[in-house]
């Protein structure tokens, strides 16, 4: 198979190694690319008077407004008005900015009014047994671009399984992408009581060409009148945007930690202890257990050390169609930090500490 860009392979490899070292480090400013799907001559999905390009843009701008309240986060938009942006230029904005995250926001639709619910996509490394309708729909914008056959040589948007992808950097970032996607879906479900269709992998060009952890969010189905009305409302857009922003902030703190300057942000009350928690004399919460998440996967993996880089004491939980694998268990936070270091030394560079109830 040919690469998406003609004669692009060698340049891509060089860029990947350069960018990989940048993304693996904690930077003072955390850069988020917010991508409002479609725009201009490309309206996206349109049902019952609800237009995807309008809803996506309004929601993206609200996400940005929430993120601006958090210190040390830079927001870059791929568009801030009703303009057409070529698909190739969306991840290019993120790559040029050496961003930490790429978040693309869309709305779903089908031919009947029944289906509903949110779903968040990460790039699919496997092409087997996939429902490619979403991928075909989101990739089809390529056909509106001039000279698309030359620009996207080797890729047919009607056959997204032909997408070859930048698999080296994707494999490194897939766990991080799944973590963010899972956080977004959890927020939609637990805080807004929205129906969840889970986290899924699909061959989406806009994610495939990005060099950093990336997700594509389908806010819901415009073909469903009730859900479409909610997403088309200012209230609905604000609520969805808040949960996306919260998930991004939680992701930043898990992977990049916090600084003293973050303590006054609007989101810092999430770090306060619950008044109902029992606290021991040593300052540890007696009914909380710390574990280190090392991997998230749509597939169930046998709990053997050989499958987890030699780590023992692995457990898992299943949520939003994902198996989350965790290393160790302790009620002492300092011990948890040691476990996190052990996991990173074993090769899980993006391992992070989570809190669970006993």
């Amino acid at each position: 198979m040919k690469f998406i860009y003609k004669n692009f392979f060698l340049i891509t490899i060089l860029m990947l190694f350069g960018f990989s070292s940048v993304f693996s480090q904690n930077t003072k400013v955390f850069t988020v690319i917010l991508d409002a799907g479609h725009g201009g001559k490309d309206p996206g999905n349109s049902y019952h008077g609800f237009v995807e390009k309008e809803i996506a843009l309004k929601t993206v701008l609200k996400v940005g407004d929430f993120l601006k309240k958090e210190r040390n986060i830079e927001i870059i938009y791929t568009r801030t008005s009703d303009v057409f942006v070529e698909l190739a230029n969306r991840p290019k904005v993120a790559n040029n900015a050496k961003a930490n995250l790429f978040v693309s926001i869309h709305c779903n639709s089908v031919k009947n009014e029944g289906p509903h619910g949110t779903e968040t996509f990460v790039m699919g490394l496997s092409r087997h047994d996939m429902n490619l309708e979403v991928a075909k729909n989101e990739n089809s914008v390529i056909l509106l671009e001039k000279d698309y056959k030359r620009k996207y040589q080797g890729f047919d948007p009607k056959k997204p399984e032909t997408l070859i992808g930048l698999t080296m950097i994707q494999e490194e970032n897939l766990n991080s992408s799944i973590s963010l996607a899972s956080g977004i879906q959890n927020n939609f479900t637990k805080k807004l009581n929205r129906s969840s269709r889970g986290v899924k992998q699909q061959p989406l060009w806009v994610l495939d060409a990005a060099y950093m952890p990336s997700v594509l969010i389908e806010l819901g189905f415009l073909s469903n009148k009730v859900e479409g009305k909610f997403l088309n409302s200012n209230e609905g857009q604000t609520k969805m945007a808040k949960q996306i922003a919260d998930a991004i902030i939680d992701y930043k703190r898990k992977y990049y930690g916090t600084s003293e300057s973050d303590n006054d942000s609007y989101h810092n009350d999430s770090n306060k202890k619950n008044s109902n928690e029992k606290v021991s004399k040593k300052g540890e919460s007696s009914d909380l257990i710390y574990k280190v998440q090392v991997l998230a996967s749509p597939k169930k993996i046998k709990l053997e050390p050989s499958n987890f880089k030699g780590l023992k004491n692995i457990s898992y939980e299943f949520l939003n169609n994902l198996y989350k694998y965790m290393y160790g268990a302790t009620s002492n936070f300092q011990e948890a930090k040691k476990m996190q270091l052990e996991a990173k030394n074993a090769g899980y560079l993006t391992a992070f500490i989570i809190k669970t109830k006993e």
Side-chain angles (χ1 to χ4, degrees):
M1 294 174 64
K2 295 182 179 178
F3 226 84
I4 297 170
Y5 286 104
K6 187 177 182 181
N7 300 324
F8 194 58
F9 182 78
L10 292 177
I11 296 175
T12 300
I13 294 299
L14 293 173
M15 293 177 72
L16 288 179
F17 282 112
F19 287 145
S20 178
S21 62
V22 173
F23 299 139
S24 63
Q25 299 174 3
N26 291 359
T27 55
K28 185 176 181 180
V29 176
F30 185 84
T31 304
V32 180
I33 306 300
L34 295 179
D35 174 49
H38 308 279
K41 63 182 179 181
D42 173 28
N45 293 310
S46 183
Y47 279 85
H48 311 301
F50 312 135
V51 183
E52 180 180 6
K53 68 175 183 177
E54 297 174 0
I55 295 172
L57 179 58
K58 290 176 181 178
T59 304
V60 155
L61 294 177
K62 289 178 183 294
V63 173
D65 288 341
F66 283 119
L67 290 178
K68 288 174 184 177
K69 298 176 183 179
E70 182 82 1
R71 296 183 182 181
N72 296 329
I73 292 184
E74 178 184 10
I75 302 99
I76 298 176
Y77 303 94
T78 58
R79 70 180 181 97
T80 57
S81 60
D82 185 19
V83 296
F84 179 75
V85 180
E86 292 188 352
L87 201 62
N89 288 335
R90 295 174 186 267
K92 187 181 294 184
V93 170
N95 296 338
N96 289 342
K98 298 181 181 179
N100 300 93
L101 285 179
F102 178 84
V103 178
S104 187
I105 294 179
H106 294 252
C107 298
N108 223 330
S109 72
V110 288
K111 293 181 180 180
N112 61 77
E113 297 183 8
H116 63 283
T118 67
E119 51 193 355
T120 300
F121 292 91
V122 298
M123 184 57 210
L125 297 180
S126 172
R127 306 294 188 253
H128 302 293
D129 300 323
M130 303 181 76
N131 183 337
L132 299 174
E133 290 309 310
V134 170
K136 290 178 182 178
N137 188 39
E138 299 300 353
N139 289 328
S140 64
V141 63
I142 289 172
L143 300 176
L144 297 177
E145 300 180 24
K146 295 180 180 179
D147 202 19
Y148 74 89
K149 290 184 178 180
R150 178 189 61 81
K151 187 180 300 182
Y152 301 92
Q153 185 171 355
F155 174 55
D156 182 354
K158 296 180 180 179
K159 297 179 180 179
E161 64 271 28
T162 65
L163 193 60
I164 186 167
L166 310 177
T167 57
M168 289 174 58
I169 198 69
Q170 285 169 355
E171 289 175 0
E172 180 179 341
N173 290 325
L174 182 57
N175 188 41
S176 300
S177 299
I178 291 175
S179 177
L180 174 61
S182 181
I184 292 169
Q185 286 299 122
N186 287 344
N187 283 0
F188 287 159
T189 303
K190 294 180 180 180
K191 298 182 180 180
L192 295 183
N193 199 31
R194 307 301 299 175
S195 176
S196 174
R197 296 167 66 88
V199 176
K200 301 178 181 179
Q201 291 181 272
Q202 289 282 24
L204 298 166
W205 199 94
V206 72
L207 301 183
D208 195 68
Y211 299 154
M212 68 291 301
S214 310
V215 299
L216 186 147
I217 305 165
E218 296 282 1
L219 299 172
F221 286 78
L222 301 186
S223 47
N224 182 290
K225 286 185 178 180
V226 175
E227 192 158 74
K229 184 177 181 180
F230 173 76
L231 296 176
N232 197 50
S233 68
N234 181 67
E235 178 186 8
Q237 292 159 10
T238 301
K239 287 182 175 180
M240 298 295 279
K242 176 65 163 59
Q243 300 313 317
I244 295 170
D246 282 357
I248 291 171
I249 293 167
D250 287 341
Y251 172 95
K252 173 179 178 288
R253 288 178 172 169
K254 286 177 181 177
Y255 285 95
Y256 292 81
T258 57
S259 63
E260 292 182 2
S261 62
D262 291 328
N263 293 336
D264 296 328
S265 68
Y266 86 102
H267 196 65
N268 69 350
D269 58 356
S270 64
N271 295 324
K272 297 178 182 178
K273 289 187 176 293
N274 188 300
S275 59
N276 293 325
E277 292 178 5
K278 299 176 182 178
V279 181
S280 69
K281 292 181 180 179
K282 293 183 179 180
E284 298 290 345
S285 175
S286 62
D287 60 350
L288 282 179
I289 292 295
Y290 298 99
K291 296 183 179 183
V292 177
Q293 184 169 317
V294 295
L295 180 66
S297 171
K299 296 182 179 180
K300 190 173 184 179
I301 302 173
K302 195 171 183 179
L303 300 182
E304 295 180 351
S306 59
N307 292 331
F308 294 92
K309 304 182 187 293
L311 294 178
K312 301 177 181 179
N313 193 16
I314 298 292
S315 59
Y316 74 89
E317 65 176 14
F318 185 72
L319 185 65
N320 282 327
N321 297 325
L322 285 175
Y323 293 93
K324 297 182 180 180
Y325 295 93
M326 295 157 287
Y327 167 57
T330 179
S331 60
N332 186 291
F333 183 70
Q334 294 304 317
E335 288 297 322
K337 291 177 69 174
K338 292 180 182 179
M339 293 191 309
Q340 182 186 29
L341 182 59
E342 291 171 0
K344 289 186 175 183
N345 288 337
Y348 292 106
L349 301 181
T350 57
F352 58 89
I353 298 172
I354 64 170
K355 293 189 294 185
T356 63
K357 292 286 186 179
E358 284 187 312

